Structures are given as structure tokens and as C-alpha cells.
Amino acid sequence: MAEGKVLGIGGLFIRSPDPAALAAWYRDHLGIAATESGQPTPDGEWVWMQQTGPTVFAGFAADSDYWRADRQVMLNLRVEGLDALLARLEAAGVPISHREGMEGVGNFARIQDLDGNPVELWEQA
């Protein structure tokens, strides 16, 4: 008999005062097939098919200064072509903050989504 185990993250659900606008922000700026709950994307997609790769699932101290104290979570997205993505985001008026490189890990940059939620972009080393 097989043991039960978790295979990966099946979804990410974010409360928003305007869920349709937030989903559109993720589609337009990051290319994620984000949806408003119960609605497909304009292209008829219901899910975002990701590339296989590592996922870090980590707790942070309540007083961590790694992201804004008024937010409980931060989304970290694996990306390819970080510099090109950042140039496109800056051209669209999305502020970039907290750029950092970590030897052996990769390069990071931080943005905020439409509702001010922190999103970290990570290009693996």
C-alpha cells in the first residue's frame, strides 16, 4: 500500500478587493494564467501549468524584516531571464526593490502586486 504524500502546491489563493484586476495584473505583468475565483482567464485557461523545479516552503520569524511587517506571506516565483523581466516590469511602471545575488543560489528582485503583496522573483544560479 502506498503512503500518502504531498506532491506539490496545488493552488495559491489571495484575497483582494478586486480579484479580477489582481488576476489580470499577474497575467499581464508576469505571464501567469491567474484567474478570478470561479472564472477562467480570457483565453479560457483554468490553471497555470508550471515548469518542474524546486519550491522552498519556509517559515520566517514574526519579526523578520525580509518583507513588510503588515504582510503575512510573500510569493517567490522562479524565473528565467530576470534582467529582461525586470526591464519589462519597470517599463510598465512596476517598481523594483531589494535586488540581491546569493552565491550558489541565484539572483533575486522584489516587486509588489496590485494589492501591495510582496512578490520575490528568483533566477536560480
Side-chain angles (χ1 to χ4, degrees):
M1 176 180 264
E3 288 186 41
K5 67 178 181 176
V6 174
L7 301 177
I9 295 173
L12 175 67
F13 310 103
I14 305 172
R15 294 182 194 268
S16 173
D18 189 343
L22 184 63
W25 187 92
Y26 277 93
R27 285 193 309 272
D28 295 345
H29 293 295
L30 300 177
I32 295 173
T35 67
E36 179 183 5
S37 178
Q39 303 294 319
T41 69
D43 296 333
E45 296 292 325
W46 287 91
V47 297
W48 170 39
M49 297 303 292
Q50 304 173 60
Q51 290 186 359
T52 302
T55 299
V56 176
F57 193 111
F60 278 71
D63 62 351
S64 172
D65 64 356
Y66 197 65
W67 67 87
R68 287 178 25 196
D70 67 334
R71 302 297 166 154
Q72 293 298 305
V73 298
M74 180 178 63
L75 177 60
N76 174 287
L77 299 171
R78 282 182 283 115
V79 304
E80 182 178 79
L82 179 61
D83 290 334
L85 176 58
L86 294 176
R88 194 174 76 239
L89 290 169
E90 284 182 313
V94 176
I96 311 299
S97 66
H98 190 81
R99 291 194 68 162
E100 178 181 5
M102 294 178 69
E103 189 172 330
V105 178
N107 293 309
F108 299 86
R110 187 100 30 89
I111 61 173
Q112 291 181 13
D113 72 15
L114 185 65
D115 290 342
N117 298 306
V119 178
E120 187 172 62
L121 306 173
W122 167 40
E123 184 169 41
Q124 287 182 266

